[in-house]
Amino acid sequence: MAGGYGKQIPARKLETADIERAARGSKMQFSDSRSFRRVRVLGATAIQADNMKIVLAGIEPLPQQAVCKRIDGVMQSCNERAEHRLAILLQARSVTCELSETAENGIHTGRCMADKIDIADDLLRQKLAQRGLSRLASN
């Protein structure tokens, strides 16, 4: 079962290179699906699943200064909204991920599903993340 809102990954542990690597997810090799029991939000496009840090493949966070409107009209940081959306998606759902090989810093890139919901696609549909740079160039 998913936890509540998690802390963001400290900047020193989640580098821009990690996000860029994940954004190029379509060119990576992924393993078979793996199910996780304990999942929590680490950032706008990152989760922690059974003590593994996973950056969602094919997407990247919106710029820090981006502001989004909540359903009640209140303006809020888009990345904070993305974290809240992730928490909702993870709550009481089975989470499975196809993972890349572990990077040198221990962070994985993953294509993850919350039950039948593709998490990265959901964040894109909600306009809370953007496609990775390499995917933009090919579209």
Side-chain angles (χ1 to χ4, degrees), residues 24-30 134:
R24 292 187 304 271
S26 61
K27 297 180 181 178
M28 303 179 115
Q29 294 290 338
F30 291 92
S134 62

Side-chain angles (χ1 to χ4, degrees), residues 42-98:
L42 290 177
T45 60
I47 61 175
Q48 181 167 332
D50 291 347
N51 296 319
M52 296 174 71
K53 290 182 173 88
I54 302 169
V55 178
L56 298 171
I59 63 171
E60 54 191 37
L62 294 173
Q64 283 288 20
Q65 67 274 18
V67 180
C68 294
K69 187 186 290 189
R70 294 187 336 202
I71 198 164
D72 61 3
V74 174
M75 300 304 281
Q76 182 179 28
S77 159
C78 291
N79 289 330
E80 188 176 333
R81 294 266 308 124
E83 290 177 20
H84 291 184
R85 179 67 185 175
L86 273 174
I88 289 167
L89 289 172
L90 300 176
Q91 190 172 15
R93 287 190 171 93
S94 171
V95 175
T96 57
C97 298
E98 295 175 351

Side-chain angles (χ1 to χ4, degrees), residues 127-139:
K127 298 182 180 167
L128 298 174
Q130 58 191 352
R131 290 192 186 279
L133 298 175
S134 62
R135 290 177 84 181
L136 281 175
S138 66
N139 288 344

Side-chain angles (χ1 to χ4, degrees), residues 7-10 13-14 21 36 40 42 46-56 99-100 102-103 105-110:
K7 295 180 184 176
Q8 288 186 340
I9 298 173
K13 293 193 180 189
L14 184 64
R21 179 176 163 265
F36 297 97
R40 68 183 184 106
L42 290 177
I47 61 175
Q48 181 167 332
D50 291 347
N51 296 319
M52 296 174 71
K53 290 182 173 88
I54 302 169
V55 178
L56 298 171
L99 301 173
S100 68
T102 308
N105 59 5
I107 295 175
H108 290 269
T109 299

